[in-house]
């Protein structure tokens, strides 16, 4: 590449679904070390694009017949039917497969699983991607929370109580546009206990899929900075998955942060999950988030391997195009460093200690 500075600083990213590609049998750890044709992330492309690492989500997919149908996102307004709840035994089995997938990724040198801030910062330069293990939707955890200790011992350091379908802990927002995020009840009693247990174990509580009342419950109960790993500004794209100014004020108050989601359906003002969009729109979200949160509380949360991203980025090898766009809009190197990794490191240090 002509301009090496476009790969630097390495981006530490708030959300990807690479492990889902492994759980569903699409790809192996060995293939991800060598390079793959499909998907958004593998090790060679991560190095090429300067993806230093991020939160690697373990997610329990629904059955194929219940899969989210992407064509629904092309209607002017939509409210996708959510997949039915997943039973605990199935979720536990698949979540354990997810941790096993992470171990095999580490054995192949694709990721380095990091469980404290010093090892995370040390891993950012590579050669493997620095990985924080995250659970997206806590269906694998029962009401007595016993599995949380097992997962913590396996390296879990971040958790979203819900993906969009309901769990015993609470309700997520649906894929609904336009809609505000106040779409259902708040956390259950088990959900409130889960927040306390995450605080004790210093596991990040991710707000990205929670509805507004669940968000408020976490804000009231949690002693950690409020974090939405992969969400955007509702003022610009009024999707249920995005954050209202009221929520952004609460995140700022807690000294937390938001990772900007590259999913086009949460970026575009029309809510369409369509890849043909200018990065000017992403800059509008960035400007809005910085205006509400300040420069120290915004980063990235790509949703690579889980969403349709702008075609000008394409996959993680295209991150230099994102850096170029930011630079052309006058983002200086000091702010670039914060957006790409510094802010995530600050919030994780505050949450985890160390
Ligand atoms: Zn998600």
């Amino acid at each position: 590449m002509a301009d090496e500075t476009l790969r630097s600083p390495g981006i530490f990213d708030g959300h990807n679904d690479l492990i889902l590609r492994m759980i569903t049998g699409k790809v192996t750890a060995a293939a991800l070390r060598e390079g793959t044709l499909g998907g958004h992330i593998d090790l060679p492309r991560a190095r090429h694009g300067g993806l230093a690492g991020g939160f690697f989500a373990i997610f329990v997919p629904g059955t194929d017949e219940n899969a989210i149908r992407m064509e629904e996102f092309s209607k002017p307004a939509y409210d996708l039917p959510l997949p039915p709840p997943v039973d605990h035994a199935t979720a536990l089995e698949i979540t354990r497969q997810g941790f096993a997938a992470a171990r095999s990724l580490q054995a192949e040198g694709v990721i380095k699983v990091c469980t404290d801030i010093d090892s995370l910062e040390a891993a950012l330069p590579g050669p493997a991607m620095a990985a924080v293990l995250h659970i997206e939707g806590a269906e694998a955890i029962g009401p007595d929370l016993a599995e949380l200790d097992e997962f913590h011992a396996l390296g879990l350091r971040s958790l979203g109580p819900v993906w969009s379908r309901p769990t015993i802990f609470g309700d997520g927002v649906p894929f609904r546009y336009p809609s505000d995020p106040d779409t259902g009840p708040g956390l259950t009693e088990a959900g409130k206990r889960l927040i306390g247990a995450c605080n004790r174990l210093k596991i990040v509580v991710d707000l990205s899929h929670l509805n507004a009342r669940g968000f408020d419950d976490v804000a009231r109960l949690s002693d950690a900075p409020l974090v939405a790993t992969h969400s955007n500004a509702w003022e610009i794209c009024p999707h249920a998955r995005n954050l209202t100014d009221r929520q952004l004020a609460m995140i700022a108050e807690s000294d937390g942060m938001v990772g900007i989601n590259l999913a086009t359906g949460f970026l575009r003002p029309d809510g369409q999950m369509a890849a043909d969009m200018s990065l000017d729109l992403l800059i509008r979200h960035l400007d809005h988030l910085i205006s509400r949160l300040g420069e120290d509380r915004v980063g990235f949360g790509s949703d690579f391997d889980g969403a349709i991203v702008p075609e000008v980025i394409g996959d993680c090898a295209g991150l230099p195009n994102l850096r170029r766009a930011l630079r052309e809009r006058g983002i200086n190197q000091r702010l670039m460093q914060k957006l790409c990794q510094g802010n995530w490191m600050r919030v994780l240090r505050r949450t985890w200690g160390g």
Side-chain angles (χ1 to χ4, degrees), residues 42-278:
D42 55 40
L43 188 58
R45 280 184 284 172
R47 286 189 180 143
H48 186 79
L51 178 64
F55 290 69
F56 284 66
I58 297 173
F59 169 70
V60 178
T63 53
D64 275 353
E65 57 267 30
N66 291 317
I68 294 284
R69 304 215 333 268
M70 282 296 184
E71 60 270 24
E72 294 285 320
F73 283 99
S74 58
K75 296 177 178 167
Y78 51 81
D79 185 6
L80 274 61
L82 285 175
V86 179
D87 70 88
H88 177 251
T90 304
L92 183 57
E93 183 186 332
I94 294 174
T95 298
R96 285 175 175 154
Q97 287 173 20
F99 283 103
R103 280 194 296 279
S104 65
L105 285 171
Q106 177 156 274
E108 292 288 348
V110 178
I111 66 172
K112 166 87 170 72
V113 176
C114 301
T115 55
D116 64 74
I117 190 65
D118 291 335
S119 68
L120 180 60
E121 288 186 335
L124 287 177
M129 286 180 275
V132 172
L133 297 185
H134 169 80
I135 283 182
E136 179 166 46
E139 283 94 343
I141 298 172
D144 65 359
L145 312 181
E147 298 84 357
L148 189 63
D149 290 312
E150 171 192 336
F151 298 153
H152 181 267
L154 292 172
L156 182 75
R157 291 296 181 272
S158 173
L159 173 149
V162 296
W163 176 67
S164 283
R165 66 194 163 211
T167 70
I168 61 168
F169 304 112
D171 281 37
V173 286
F175 293 93
R176 183 187 295 164
Y177 172 93
S179 169
D180 74 30
D182 187 10
T183 58
L187 295 181
T188 63
E189 288 308 311
K192 293 172 185 169
R193 289 200 304 276
L194 179 64
I195 303 311
C198 286
N199 282 169
R200 280 193 295 283
L201 289 167
K202 301 190 186 302
I203 292 172
V204 172
V205 176
D206 180 21
L207 296 162
S208 270
H209 284 265
L210 265 180
N211 64 26
R213 291 177 208 193
F215 181 107
D216 289 353
D217 285 337
V218 174
R220 197 175 65 251
L221 296 167
S222 177
D223 61 19
L226 298 178
V227 168
T229 57
H230 57 307
S231 293
N232 294 331
W234 189 88
E235 284 293 325
I236 295 170
C237 167
H239 195 292
R241 270 284 277 106
N242 284 339
L243 297 161
T244 63
D245 281 355
R246 186 186 75 86
Q247 293 175 308
L248 294 176
M250 293 164 77
I251 290 171
E253 170 80 24
S254 79
D255 201 12
M257 72 176 284
V258 174
I260 294 185
N261 197 324
L262 301 184
T264 54
F266 311 146
L267 285 169
R268 296 167 55 118
D270 62 7
Q272 306 282 293
M273 198 63 94
D276 58 326
M277 56 156 273
S278 160

